[in-house]
Amino acid sequence: HTPAAVLFALHPDQGLLRTLAGHLPPVLDTLVRTPGRPGTRPGTGLSAAADLRRRLAGRGEEERGRILLELVRSHVATLLGHPTPDAVGADRAFQDLGFDSLAAVELRRRLGSATGLGLPASLVFDHPDSRAVAAHLNGLIDDGSEEQDASEALLGMLDRLDASLTAAQPDAGTRPRITSRLEALLRRWQDAHGDDTGRTRHEDDDALDSVTDDELFDVLDQEIGLL
């Protein structure tokens, strides 16, 4: 609570810190190493963002603002060690609340995970209180940014899957099962969204039904290089 930095020796109670994990100020929160801390598990951000969108769906502007303000204040309260969001004034500047650069970075990370949005590093500096941040999030979600970020997250998961498949060395008994699962996923995707031409697999099946034998043989010959 003072502008001066003080160096001192500290022997922390690790058991107590682990018990309070998620409710500590940033300077102590970084000392705690616990498996599966909130916001760090793969997929947690996506499910939290999906839940938030469900809560916002069909709500009026005032209600959406209230939900997002509650979200911001709850994360701010957690970062500052307050038991409830009531201790965080909606219009009180983060600087007056005791925010430092570490808290600003952590708030951006937590809100990005909770909303599924790609938030700028300057979030807290550009929007200096909880109400301003909530209004900013509302605007990003309204303009469709969350769909873009969800698509980017999906592409990221595909990249990780690609890397896993490249590095994998499955045995002969497992390879057919993996191949079957991948083919089933691709079929379901094409059924739901079509291929890159916009045609669904069912449309392609209908087109194949109308192809003559000679036309089909010509296509096959071209594919395997006989023509």
Side-chain angles (χ1 to χ4, degrees), residues 5 9 15 34 49 51 56 107 113 124 128-129 132 143 148 176 202 204 218 220:
T34 57
D51 180 65
L56 295 175
L107 180 62
S113 177
V124 168
D129 57 53
D143 67 14
Q148 179 180 354
H202 295 304
D204 290 335
D218 286 343
L220 292 175

Side-chain angles (χ1 to χ4, degrees), residues 30-70:
T30 56
L31 300 177
V32 184
R33 293 184 179 181
T34 57
R37 288 173 59 192
T40 61
R41 296 189 300 274
T44 298
L46 289 177
S47 61
D51 180 65
L52 178 64
R53 285 193 292 272
R54 284 193 294 269
R55 291 179 61 199
L56 295 175
R59 305 277 186 172
E61 190 67 19
E62 183 177 348
E63 183 67 8
R64 286 169 59 91
R66 186 194 63 77
I67 292 172
L68 290 170
L69 180 58
E70 178 185 351

Side-chain angles (χ1 to χ4, degrees), residues 5 12 14-15 40 59 70 81 109 119 125 128 143 147-148 155 158 161 178 220:
Q14 290 291 336
T40 61
R59 305 277 186 172
E70 178 185 351
R109 184 191 68 79
L119 300 174
F125 303 101
D143 67 14
E147 286 84 4
Q148 179 180 354
L155 290 172
L158 289 175
L161 176 60
I178 295 175
L220 292 175

Side-chain angles (χ1 to χ4, degrees), residues 2-7:
T2 70
V6 179
L7 177 65

